[in-house]
Amino acid sequence: MAFIITSEISEGIAKLTLSGSLDSSSASLMQVEIQKVATQAPSALVLYISELEFMSSAGLRMLIFAKQKLGTSVQIYIVQPQGQIVDTLQMTGIIHSVHIVDNYPAQ
């Protein structure tokens, strides 16, 4: 499945919706969106990824890039990740740098 990413900033919150496969061929698209939202100095980054079917190591690098680009004070929320993506985040330890949530804002 092709990778699709959309972004918006609302009330200082950057929201990216990802679907398809985030791999080495599509990571550059995410990098561009992260750079774009970083110019707005958001207070949080919310990744809606319920439709993201696959994330390779290139996708993990984009999470690290986002954390570095936005700064340590910006919290990253990952909304409704599929099980295999959560497993990957746990195995790599990146899960300790993000918040996994069912909804944003948490209800």
Side-chain angles (χ1 to χ4, degrees):
M1 180 178 197
F3 179 71
I4 300 170
I5 185 169
T6 59
S7 66
E8 69 172 286
I9 295 184
S10 175
E11 299 177 10
I13 308 296
K15 301 174 183 177
L16 276 60
T17 303
L18 291 70
S19 63
S21 295
L22 178 54
D23 54 27
S24 59
S25 64
S26 57
S28 61
L29 298 172
M30 185 171 176
Q31 184 174 4
V32 167
E33 292 301 317
I34 291 167
Q35 290 173 322
K36 200 177 350 177
V37 300
T39 64
Q40 303 294 313
S43 60
L45 173 63
V46 182
L47 303 173
Y48 295 93
I49 67 168
S50 64
E51 300 294 318
L52 190 66
E53 298 173 350
F54 175 77
M55 180 187 296
S56 73
S57 60
L60 295 172
R61 283 192 301 275
M62 287 302 98
L63 290 176
I64 294 167
F65 173 77
K67 196 69 169 169
Q68 292 172 337
K69 188 75 175 173
L70 298 171
T72 56
S73 64
V74 175
Q75 299 296 309
I76 298 177
Y77 296 87
I78 298 179
V79 181
Q80 296 182 347
Q82 293 189 21
Q84 69 270 21
I85 292 175
V86 173
D87 291 345
T88 300
L89 295 173
Q90 287 176 328
M91 285 188 289
T92 59
I94 294 174
I95 200 159
H96 301 293
S97 299
V98 298
H99 303 280
I100 306 293
V101 296
D102 291 329
N103 296 296
Y104 184 88
Q107 298 176 3

